Amino acid sequence: MNAPQQPRAVPRVSRYPVPELKDLPADIRERILAVQEKSGFVPNVFLAFAHRPEEFRAFFAYHDALMEKEGGLSKAEREMIVVATSGANQCQYCVVAHGAILRVRARNPLIADQVAVNYRKADLTPRERAMLDFAMKVALESHAIGDDDFAALRPHGFSDEDVWDIGAIAAFFALSNRMANLTSMRPNDEFYLLGRLPKEKK
Amino acid sequence: MNAPQQPRAVPRVSRYPVPELKDLPADIRERILAVQEKSGFVPNVFLAFAHRPEEFRAFFAYHDALMEKEGGLSKAEREMIVVATSGANQCQYCVVAHGAILRVRARNPLIADQVAVNYRKADLTPRERAMLDFAMKVALESHAIGDDDFAALRPHGFSDEDVWDIGAIAAFFALSNRMANLTSMRPNDEFYLLGRLPKEKK
Amino acid sequence: MNAPQQPRAVPRVSRYPVPELKDLPADIRERILAVQEKSGFVPNVFLAFAHRPEEFRAFFAYHDALMEKEGGLSKAEREMIVVATSGANQCQYCVVAHGAILRVRARNPLIADQVAVNYRKADLTPRERAMLDFAMKVALESHAIGDDDFAALRPHGFSDEDVWDIGAIAAFFALSNRMANLTSMRPNDEFYLLGRLPKEKK
Amino acid sequence: MNAPQQPRAVPRVSRYPVPELKDLPADIRERILAVQEKSGFVPNVFLAFAHRPEEFRAFFAYHDALMEKEGGLSKAEREMIVVATSGANQCQYCVVAHGAILRVRARNPLIADQVAVNYRKADLTPRERAMLDFAMKVALESHAIGDDDFAALRPHGFSDEDVWDIGAIAAFFALSNRMANLTSMRPNDEFYLLGRLPKEKK
Amino acid sequence: MNAPQQPRAVPRVSRYPVPELKDLPADIRERILAVQEKSGFVPNVFLAFAHRPEEFRAFFAYHDALMEKEGGLSKAEREMIVVATSGANQCQYCVVAHGAILRVRARNPLIADQVAVNYRKADLTPRERAMLDFAMKVALESHAIGDDDFAALRPHGFSDEDVWDIGAIAAFFALSNRMANLTSMRPNDEFYLLGRLPKEKK
Amino acid sequence: MNAPQQPRAVPRVSRYPVPELKDLPADIRERILAVQEKSGFVPNVFLAFAHRPEEFRAFFAYHDALMEKEGGLSKAEREMIVVATSGANQCQYCVVAHGAILRVRARNPLIADQVAVNYRKADLTPRERAMLDFAMKVALESHAIGDDDFAALRPHGFSDEDVWDIGAIAAFFALSNRMANLTSMRPNDEFYLLGRLPKEKK
């Protein structure tokens, strides 16, 4: 128990400068304020990307196009894809932040930690398992995706448009994970406990 | 949102039969009752290994020899090694269960999730970072461990005996992770929230 | 020489349906017509993404934010990053299409094939070599990016903003490569010869 | 033939101190003397682990629980698992020492070298081949072990308890291999020739 | 656009000395002159290997035995194997030089770039695809080649002798790729454009 | 001990037909008889390659050019390269056959098994260790060989010509290992014991 005392690195939002809200373009400031209003805090990904307004706009437009739209995948299924592939890419921000969202969306306090560590051992339906097998292949060896991989999804009720969604979410977070690792983006403390307590409601 | 309804697999402690407490040898039953007394529940690893009493005794004797003894590593440091290497081995039981213990031992509700996903991005001291670099090399490519790896630990105050401890913990959980994956050992629901709430005390 | 005759798969733009220009939203149609005007043909990436207008807009907004802006990286340097990382990800569309753009931008008919196969053996300056070492680490093991990697770029005249650009381009094409592999996006025949003949001008 | 003369490193049992027999606890000394009596020499693994008596006791208790008990696997089959997985983990001590034991147990002077290098090309029965396929998966990617892997063993006469044995031996030597690599444990010279000569008897 | 000016490394044929034609043994000089006569230039592989006349003779004898003989594989098929496996080995010389030969032999200006980046997405017949699956396994994990791999080729009309050819070409270029990477062998500028223009004839 | 009785596969020299000596071209028959005269048996590699006389001639001409010539590497050093890289490639024939030759050449009954499993733990001089580090990089990731790798060898007395030899031996056995795995070439029983007994003389 005699570990020498050393200072821990002071946590910061990102390796890059984080602008003040007042200095941001109006559309970005409004988006951030809306998130803060809804969530009670500003997730650090918004502050980290605000360093580059053009990239901020494209990043969140892409995110919303995949994660907020209607379609064949439930919102919980989409978050499962994020958590599983971000675990494989060792992206701390995405596992912690989207793990929280997954707990809330699935109303399940256990599922995110299970999927992040090893989705093959998680409490999944066969449909969810097949979906994550495909998503992980897109994340880790997309060059080998072929007809057999598409065929394996159809018996689980996934249309070709659903498969695009699965693959596109895995592809988008391939980008997101790399940006978070590049900038050492730090998950907000608030995410860790979110969705873990029985009384919480979405 | 039209994901078809499918039954989730019914969670179970282990792929192998789990004996009843009353059918166990006295020493094993007593150990399990003592853990239950202290923790408030029986961690599934005790039930899963109870299927094989000889292996149970050896496993926990080894565990205690490394994790409970006095020595140069703090108990929180030892749990960090478990969580980081178990994450690399995709062992759900060990990440969830020892993540809980790490939160309690380090009195830090964030550290376990950080270390499990990517210890390089966690809030660590330089000593902890060097310790985990070594532990991960033992876990993942022990054949390449050499003099340089020992030398890198000395400036951080680790003696050669401490280095044995670091390596032996990584080696022991190489065994433990494989047994958990072999038996599909399931972490108890209680672990997920342990050490996350401010009022908890060890 | 007696290989049996078998039909080759009929090449197509994408595994997914490709809309007709007349059926597209006006902004997307105009963007495509502008590219056709400038290049003499419509690169298939525009047609493949047009299947999903929201994603089309976000994808090209992101692309332009990184590839068309002013900044510390020359346009040829940016294309080198695309070609090297797309080669590592085995993305046929991006290597062929951006290989053509790299030849044109660098006014060098040899560089793209060299960088695609093995950038370490390409005719590069030390600055370009360091830039590609960093970009490949973001593409292939972004979890391990740390201070040392940033430090290695500074002696070559890269500012922290330039490093963001290098990493963000590698990250964006991590997305792009996966979408191209998911959709089996096919490079247009026109790309293969572009920039290889001495008389060509940009 | 003009390689400069350089001193070879003086071989030693372990990177860590090796206690004298007289200084050891009685139970450990007796175990070592019994092995010496039976084998004619003291295998270095006993001396290397004697540096840590508690770990010595747990290690050999675990070893005996798996390797000395009755059960569905023959003793030669168990040693095959050790040799194959230790080869994959590049553990010199375990390949050389257990290679000797395998030759003796299988009364086959060729099998150990074959299995250590590439078990797929060894003179095996289909049952042995299936057993080693499973053991190698536990050794190298236990996170992916699933129902299909268990099912593949049943046609070869392996019960679920036998599969535990196969997996547990691979898991135990995952620990053992890492300890041997950590301590640079050196195989005794006696092992190399053991079981290779026709007149030898067990 | 402000990339600092740095000198590019002066390209050279090989990291090792390249002899003058007049200093070479007669048989080697004659072979080189014959190639020059036929191709219009001397491919650098001849000059690089001429540094070691004995190895030159053995290398090209082996090459000719596999690539120039009659047999069940067409010459274009053989070059496909070279290009695909050399891409996987990141051998710039072999991809560029044999890519040119493949374009000429297949009378197809697109096929070489497709196969070099990702043969799974190339315009191939099922027979060619099966052939390259096998060749890549020999190149990258020959230890795992087994009966199933041979069986997968037979429905495509490959005899066992054809399979030897496929495997032997992949094996020979495993050598060739390593020699080119060792010596930093540089592809001649002439190769890059060869076979890309419609009027070219073999 | 109740493993069901199953037939072991009948060992054979090669998966491909092995010609009778009398049916071979004279030069090949003479070479084989000379080897038999010297060694007391015909190593199976000669019989397996005799199936293809042209490839036989090229293969052994290349082998002799590297392994039999004078030069800066001792014959034992060359065999070490073969054994280490063949172990990494999981080539049973080459590890067993060249392991025997290494024992004889180095007059050391232990060195071959050590180098085959993990050369980093073998009883090597610093020069031998540096040589094998380079050879393994050529065998496993030749695309990354660069100036630093050459520079690391010079302090150990290796000239650039010696480095060619090291790399070329690793490259030649990249071919040889793949051919042995392709043909399931089986090491002769005689190799296993060769060089292990003290009275043996070269």
Side-chain angles (χ1 to χ4, degrees), chain D residues 6 8 123 128 186, chain F residues 6 8 123 127-128 186:
Chain D
Q6 288 182 320
R8 257 160 237 287
D123 300 334
E128 290 162 350
R186 193 169 189 275
Chain F
Q6 288 182 321
R8 255 160 238 288
D123 300 334
R127 170 183 160 99
E128 290 162 350
R186 193 170 188 276

Side-chain angles (χ1 to χ4, degrees), chain C residues 39-128:
Chain C
S39 309
F41 64 97
V42 182
N44 286 338
V45 66
F46 289 92
L47 300 176
F49 268 102
H51 178 59
R52 292 274 183 110
E54 282 307 306
E55 297 170 43
F56 178 105
R57 292 183 187 106
F59 181 86
F60 289 105
Y62 215 135
H63 174 277
D64 294 352
L66 294 169
M67 303 300 284
E68 303 294 338
K69 70 162 197 168
E70 294 302 302
L73 303 182
S74 74
K75 288 198 173 174
E77 286 175 333
R78 295 179 214 187
E79 296 296 332
M80 271 182 201
I81 296 169
V82 181
V83 172
T85 60
S86 299
N89 288 329
Q90 301 184 43
C91 177
Q92 192 179 101
Y93 184 86
C94 297
V95 168
V96 172
H98 287 272
I101 304 174
L102 171 55
R103 287 190 294 271
V104 171
R105 292 265 156 94
R107 297 172 209 279
N108 178 335
L110 310 185
I111 194 69
D113 295 346
Q114 292 176 354
V115 166
V117 180
N118 189 347
Y119 74 96
R120 296 172 200 81
K121 304 289 183 184
D123 300 334
L124 300 180
T125 63
R127 170 182 160 100
E128 291 162 349

Side-chain angles (χ1 to χ4, degrees), chain B residues 49 55 175-183 185, chain D residues 62 164 167-168 171:
Chain B
F49 268 101
E55 296 170 43
L175 154 63
S176 180
N177 294 168
R178 281 160 181 77
M179 288 307 297
N181 275 327
L182 174 72
T183 61
M185 201 182 292
Chain D
Y62 216 135
W164 175 302

Side-chain angles (χ1 to χ4, degrees), chain D residues 1-4 6-9 11 69-75 77-78 80 86-87 90-92 95-96 109-111 113-115 117-118 120-128 156-157 181-182 184 186 189 192-193 196-197, chain F residues 1-4 6-9 11 69-75 77-78 80 86-87 90-92 95-96 109-111 113-115 117-118 120-128 156-157 181-182 184 186 189 192-193 196-197:
Chain D
M1 323 303 172
N2 49 5
Q6 288 182 320
R8 257 160 237 287
K69 70 163 198 167
E70 294 301 303
L73 302 182
S74 74
K75 288 199 173 172
E77 285 175 334
R78 295 179 214 188
M80 271 183 202
S86 299
Q90 301 184 45
C91 176
Q92 192 179 100
V95 169
V96 172
L110 310 184
I111 194 70
D113 295 345
Q114 292 176 354
V115 165
V117 180
N118 188 348
R120 296 172 200 82
K121 304 290 183 183
D123 300 334
L124 300 181
T125 63
R127 171 182 159 100
E128 290 162 350
H156 297 284
N181 274 327
L182 174 72
S184 289
R186 193 169 189 275
D189 293 4
Y192 290 80
L193 197 55
R196 294 192 184 273
L197 298 175
Chain F
M1 325 306 168
N2 50 4
Q6 288 182 321
R8 255 160 238 288
K69 70 162 196 166
E70 294 302 302
L73 302 183
S74 75
K75 288 198 172 173
E77 286 176 333
R78 294 178 213 188
M80 272 183 202
S86 299
Q90 301 184 45
C91 177
Q92 192 179 100
V95 169
V96 172
L110 311 184
I111 195 68
D113 294 346
Q114 292 176 354
V115 166
V117 180
N118 188 348
R120 296 172 200 81
K121 304 288 183 184
D123 300 334
L124 300 180
T125 63
R127 170 183 160 99
E128 290 162 350
H156 296 285
N181 274 326
L182 174 72
S184 289
R186 193 170 188 276
D189 294 3
Y192 290 79
L193 196 55
R196 294 191 183 275
L197 297 174

